[in-house]
Amino acid sequence: MYQDLNKLRRRAGLLVGVAATVLAAVPAAAQTAQNDDAAQAGAGDEIVVSGYRRSLQEAIEMKRENVGFSDSIIATDIADFPDQNLSEALQRVPGVTIERNKGLGTRVNVRGLPSEFTFVSINKLATASGSGGRDVEFDTFASELIQSVTVQKSPRAADEEGGIAGSVAIRTARPFDTPGFRLVGSAEGAYNSISEKIDPNFSVLASNTFGDFGVLVSVAKQKRSNRTDSNSGINFRPIARWTDKAGTNRNQAIAVLARDAGVTYSDADKNRIVFLDKVGDRVYFNDQDRLGVSGAVQYKPSDKFSLSFDAFVGSYDTVEDEYDAAGYSASSNSTLERIYEADKTTLSQSGIIVLRDVAYTNTQHEFLSKQYRNDTDYRQFGGELNWETGQWRINVLGGYSGARKTRDYANLKHVAYAPSRTRYTSIGGETIKSDNPKSIDMYNTPGAYLFEAYETTLERIRDDKYAAQADVTYLADLAGFAALKSINFGARYTNKTNEREYGEEKIQGPTRGSTAYVNKRTLADNPLENVTSIAGGKPYQARDLSWSQVSNDYARSFYRPQGFVTPFDPGQYYKVRETTWAGYGMVDFEFDIAVPVFVNLGARYVRTQVRSEGFHQIQKPNGSTGYSAAPIASEGRYSKLLPALNARAELTDSLYLRAAASQTLIRPALTDLAYKRTASFNNFRFSDGNPNLKPTYADQWEVGVEKYVGDGGILAASYFWKKIKGVVQNKLTGTVPGVTKYNANGTIDGVYDFDVYQPVNAEGSYKVSGVELNAVVPFGMLVRWLDGLGVNANYTFLDSSLTGQSDLKIPTAPIGLSDNTYNATLFYDKGPLSVRASYNWKGAYVERIERNFYPVYRSAYGQIDVAASYQVTKNFRVELQGINLGNAKTRGYTMDPSFPATYELSGSRISLGGRVQF
């Protein structure tokens, strides 16, 4: 399926052709209804559309006026964005899906490509990210501060480069968006059905214009708690775990395979006979605290001049507690004891035998209390000048965007070794007592668990971006060349610096360096509480199960010595600086070829210089390892001309044909650019970053047809195609001759040539293509008594020539690519009442390739969300929202659904609040 691109193209061509024919034949009833409404309005009745319907209409009008392909979400009133979570709002845009973490939307995928393939800006400035990469965590931003979001799928030469998938342009409010005095306040309480906690959310906005000046200030504060219960972490592990070693464990594994499963083992089968590696029950409790502040000062003496200064700052702090009880059957001193069930048929096409139900001689049972503390601060300051004088339009902007993120992680680990039995269940897996008399009830034997370590890591990320841009447009009026409407040119400078520090340490006693607790202190020596009592809320939802653990608050206070701070590791440090100059030229044409045609044509030239530095691992003459005394730097550079073409033909007043073609890029991951070196002295190998990496490029084109119907509706279909080349892979790039290698006692082992492995841009390419369908149908255009009722729906089908990277040659789709997604919203919006019911569905996709052998899938997921509001008075509105009302579960599996790997419940979220505005 994933390589049949020609078939998809034919299907898409037929679909778009049929769509054009169908869209051109709008039912006469719709036109009659429109004419009747127009006649009534002309008789003196003003038709006022507000709320969600107006948001749709304005977004569709923006799409209609654009020459290229885009979709938008708009707040129809100041501080009135139609969804509470920015990423969850974007999932309703055609071609957009979101990544969920414990039931909450986080990152955004455009047209199935990874989140780092999407370029994100706020007020035309590239957004700094606390992720340490190029992707943006959308849950960081309070949606109450957002005025509009546009997903641009076909770039113009004037658009900043950086998104193969597309770009997401976020715009905050300014005072002249709604001139005059505005004061808006909202408050709500949100209830999670599993944690059973009610969280507050407040926002206030004040805006006023004083003649030619305007000032706006907005503040949003939100707390949110969310609990997720999970029976997961179940992976295939090859029997090679034991058969690759000589001795008793190997011999017993081979003998039990023959005795209980009738399998005669050979080394060729070592990766195709698999068992359950680790089965765990987990409770996650996530506590979020988000604060956002935006402000704007604007001077606008006329429609031809505007000077604005914007500020967008905030913090997003989360604490996630995770409590695990897990059975690790693949411990090094274990092996097969008895096979109860071996599945030779389900995966027979791949030659894989799955041991579904097995007793093991010495399972490693683990109780883990983990805590993740993430503190993110972001800020953005910018200014923009827009000036139209005569035939000239001038736009100048500049600003700064920065993020600081600290990740503090801890894991308290207790371990017990005992025989046990692990098997698949209908939802996941379980570890139970085996027939061996030494077996234990892993959930209720705290005295058997010995302290192993209190592990800590600390990461600090600094991301700073500076930018300045100037754009000039000449509104052409040339005799003899009336088709030329404008000439556009401009330049942009950006400077990005990303710095990362990371370290880890194990605590094993009351003081640093002590091992007094190891194998002496037991789990029972700590105060234990039921995991759901620690987190609060309902009993464990994934299974009928209860167990007790050490709370993270106690672990943090007891196990960290006085004044403890996790030290940073020089080997994990890097600093990457990118400096880019870009210039573009662009022209707009408008002419008639039987029908009006609009063309935007241009090219963007980009020149980027990269400077990266990091410490290099070295071996000292005494045989120990260390790092270079100072960071070592390296530089790289690249330049590229990126052409772009967008065109729109108005076949009729309401039937449009669009086309676009361009070349665009996504810059390499920062971790690949980081010039740090690690060494494997026994393997005579260095692993380096590569500041000389080039971007990954995409040649792309798209064609589509759109029918604009009455009451702000649309029916649209498009086909897109991308050829992506220069994907980054790790390869041997050279050698370092004459490296002296020392023995542990300080004597010289020898002088060797060391291989150097680096990320490089691979040869070849792969293709991604797909079809998008979009329909916004207000039913009132068909039957007047249905006025206010309508549907907003979209569907995206994707295909790719790339297959997953399984070393067993198991064909899979690219990681993260879901080939079918759709969204549908049924809405009623008329008078004081507005109601929306939405269903979002994302098909199954490959989440990872376990051990580079076995594809692990995230199952198809669908979620129901409902929102309702009632305008009680002119100044007061009551709002009710339900997220995941069907209590959808997150599921996953390894290769086949009968081998479940993930089962998570995050519950539903109900919020009730009010909005006051003056």
Side-chain angles (χ1 to χ4, degrees), residues 696-832:
T696 297
Y697 295 101
D699 300 325
Q700 57 188 25
W701 59 266
E702 183 168 2
V703 62
V705 61
E706 301 159 0
K707 176 67 177 181
Y708 295 88
V709 296
D711 290 348
I714 185 175
L715 301 172
S718 66
Y719 171 78
F720 61 88
W721 179 92
K722 298 176 185 286
K723 181 180 180 181
I724 299 174
K725 47 194 175 183
V727 175
V728 175
Q729 295 180 351
N730 207 53
K731 289 189 176 182
L732 175 66
T733 59
T735 60
V736 177
V739 178
T740 301
K741 179 178 179 295
Y742 296 90
N743 295 314
N745 60 7
T747 60
I748 295 178
D749 178 86
V751 178
Y752 303 95
D753 292 345
F754 273 49
D755 292 332
V756 178
Y757 283 80
Q758 290 179 289
V760 299
N761 297 102
E763 298 292 332
S765 62
Y766 71 95
K767 301 178 180 65
V768 175
S769 59
V771 174
E772 283 183 4
L773 303 176
N774 184 24
V776 177
V777 182
F779 296 150
M781 76 176 192
L782 302 172
V783 182
R784 277 181 297 177
W785 59 269
L786 291 178
D787 183 44
L789 188 67
V791 65
N792 174 17
N794 62 77
Y795 169 82
T796 303
F797 172 80
L798 297 171
D799 197 6
S800 173
S801 64
L802 183 69
T803 58
Q805 304 299 309
S806 169
D807 290 346
L808 295 181
K809 309 302 180 185
I810 299 169
T812 67
I815 292 175
L817 181 66
S818 175
D819 56 1
N820 287 279
T821 60
Y822 63 84
N823 304 281
T825 298
L826 181 66
F827 63 87
Y828 177 81
D829 197 338
K830 188 176 182 180

Side-chain angles (χ1 to χ4, degrees), residues 71-84:
D71 291 282
S72 302
I73 302 174
I74 297 174
T76 57
D77 200 354
I78 203 163
D80 194 19
F81 202 71
D83 280 83
Q84 294 180 349

Side-chain angles (χ1 to χ4, degrees), residues 134-146:
R134 299 189 187 274
D135 55 333
V136 173
E137 297 165 321
F138 281 81
D139 54 344
T140 302
F141 308 121
S143 61
E144 293 88 348
L145 309 180
I146 307 302

Side-chain angles (χ1 to χ4, degrees), residues 83 100 122-123 195 246 262 277 412 436 507 527 589 736 793 915:
D83 280 83
R100 297 180 186 275
I122 298 178
N123 296 331
S195 70
D277 181 9
L412 176 61
N436 191 311
I507 299 171
F589 297 99
V736 177
R915 170 186 166 93

Side-chain angles (χ1 to χ4, degrees), residues 440-712:
I440 64 173
D441 177 356
M442 63 170 284
Y443 295 94
N444 295 293
T445 317
Y449 286 81
L450 295 175
F451 173 90
E452 183 172 293
Y454 182 71
E455 302 167 337
T456 69
T457 69
L458 183 65
E459 182 178 30
R460 185 178 297 149
I461 297 168
R462 303 176 184 89
D463 190 9
D464 297 293
K465 297 180 181 180
Y466 297 87
Q469 178 169 318
D471 303 279
V472 178
T473 297
Y474 174 70
L475 303 176
D477 185 14
L478 303 179
F481 198 10
L484 179 62
K485 294 302 179 183
S486 66
I487 301 172
N488 314 270
F489 55 91
R492 186 180 186 98
Y493 168 79
T494 58
N495 187 315
K496 170 185 172 65
T497 302
N498 189 284
E499 186 176 21
R500 179 198 189 238
E501 296 175 287
Y502 176 88
E504 57 186 43
E505 184 168 341
K506 287 184 178 181
I507 299 171
Q508 296 183 311
T511 59
R512 205 170 218 144
S514 169
T515 59
Y517 293 156
V518 178
N519 294 328
K520 296 181 178 66
R521 186 178 175 88
T522 72
L523 182 65
D525 292 329
N526 301 275
L528 302 179
E529 299 178 64
N530 185 278
V531 287
T532 55
S533 297
I534 298 173
K538 294 180 177 178
Y540 185 58
Q541 298 291 290
R543 295 203 292 152
D544 184 11
L545 187 65
S546 178
W547 73 97
S548 296
Q549 290 196 214
V550 184
S551 75
N552 282 311
D553 288 343
Y554 175 82
R556 194 176 188 89
S557 64
F558 182 85
Y559 287 99
R560 295 194 180 217
Q562 185 71 27
F564 171 80
V565 177
T566 304
F568 287 124
D569 175 10
Q572 299 295 333
Y573 170 85
Y574 67 75
K575 184 177 182 180
V576 178
R577 178 177 177 178
E578 285 181 341
T579 303
T580 299
W581 288 93
Y584 74 91
M586 190 172 69
V587 291
D588 289 290
F589 297 99
E590 180 181 341
F591 48 85
D592 282 343
I593 308 178
V595 297
V597 176
F598 300 83
V599 176
N600 173 271
L601 174 65
R604 184 178 187 87
Y605 178 76
V606 179
R607 187 181 68 187
T608 299
Q609 183 170 341
V610 178
R611 187 182 191 275
S612 175
E613 60 184 58
F615 290 91
H616 283 208
Q617 192 173 18
I618 59 175
Q619 192 178 36
K620 300 177 182 179
N622 63 4
S624 64
T625 59
Y627 294 94
S628 56
I632 297 174
S634 181
E635 294 187 352
R637 67 192 68 221
Y638 54 85
S639 59
K640 186 68 175 177
L641 185 69
L642 304 172
L645 167 69
N646 291 275
R648 182 185 85 222
E650 299 182 1
L651 305 180
T652 70
D653 289 344
S654 59
L655 184 64
Y656 286 14
L657 179 67
R658 292 187 196 273
S662 62
Q663 186 175 73
T664 186
L665 61 82
I666 177 68
R667 291 188 167 86
L670 298 172
T671 51
D672 292 331
L673 292 172
Y675 193 59
K676 57 188 181 71
R677 168 174 289 179
T678 57
S680 176
F681 291 100
N682 291 329
N683 294 322
F684 313 103
R685 173 173 173 168
F686 291 133
S687 296
D688 292 3
N690 186 1
N692 206 37
L693 275 175
K694 303 299 185 289
T696 297
Y697 295 101
D699 300 325
Q700 57 188 25
W701 59 266
E702 183 168 2
V703 62
V705 61
E706 301 159 0
K707 176 67 177 181
Y708 295 88
V709 296
D711 290 348

Side-chain angles (χ1 to χ4, degrees), residues 854-884:
Y854 320 108
V856 179
Y857 288 81
R858 181 62 61 94
S859 301
Y861 180 89
Q863 178 172 303
I864 300 173
D865 303 331
V866 174
S869 66
Y870 189 83
Q871 195 75 38
V872 181
T873 70
K874 178 183 178 181
N875 304 112
F876 177 66
R877 187 172 75 208
V878 177
E879 299 172 326
L880 176 68
Q881 187 175 57
I883 304 297
N884 190 23

